[in-house]
Amino acid sequence: MSTIYNIAFGIHILCVIAILAMLLTQVKKSPKKLNPGVVHATLTALIAGLVMVGLFTKVNPDEVLNHTKFGIKGLVIAVILTLGYKNVKKPELKSSVWATMLGLTILNVLIASLWN
């Protein structure tokens, strides 16, 4: 079980890095266009996160799962995914939507790393 957990963790980390990279490639572009890979990476990160939450008690039997933390992270990634699906086929991505997606991705990283 710990092998599957570690694989899901690696996939989750790689997907979050991919989301950040694909959003940051649009910094200087005008008009901004949402890369469809952002949506795919977000969905994959969400699924990997769900796998990790499901396996947490098997892998870490002595630790208590912080459901609030993972609920908030899940909500944040669901908002990113919703924004992605709504804007992936549009010819132009509004700067406000782009900034929101980037900010939420950074927020998710901060929640993961700073909230114990």
Side-chain angles (χ1 to χ4, degrees), residues 18-19 22-23 34-43 80-81 84 101:
I19 295 165
M22 285 184 271
L23 288 173
L34 184 62
N35 186 330
V38 172
V39 176
H40 298 297
T42 305
L43 183 59
I80 296 168
L81 189 60
M101 292 177 77

Side-chain angles (χ1 to χ4, degrees), residues 9-28:
F9 180 72
I11 290 170
H12 185 75
I13 296 297
L14 289 173
C15 287
V16 172
I17 291 169
I19 295 165
L20 281 171
M22 285 184 271
L23 288 173
L24 288 174
T25 59
Q26 298 293 315
V27 168
K28 294 188 179 190

Side-chain angles (χ1 to χ4, degrees), residues 33-101:
K33 174 89 171 98
L34 184 62
N35 186 330
V38 172
V39 176
H40 298 297
T42 305
L43 183 59
T44 305
L46 178 63
I47 292 170
L50 291 174
V51 169
M52 290 187 322
V53 168
L55 294 176
F56 187 85
T57 55
K58 297 281 186 190
V59 176
N60 304 306
D62 298 336
E63 294 182 36
V64 177
L65 182 65
N66 188 343
H67 292 284
T68 306
K69 174 183 176 179
F70 293 110
I72 291 171
K73 283 182 57 60
L75 180 64
V76 170
I77 205 161
V79 172
I80 296 168
L81 189 60
T82 302
L83 288 171
Y85 274 124
K86 285 188 171 191
N87 292 284
V88 72
K89 291 188 179 182
K90 292 184 178 176
E92 183 177 336
L93 180 65
K94 292 181 183 177
S95 291
S96 60
V97 174
W98 172 82
T100 302
M101 292 177 77

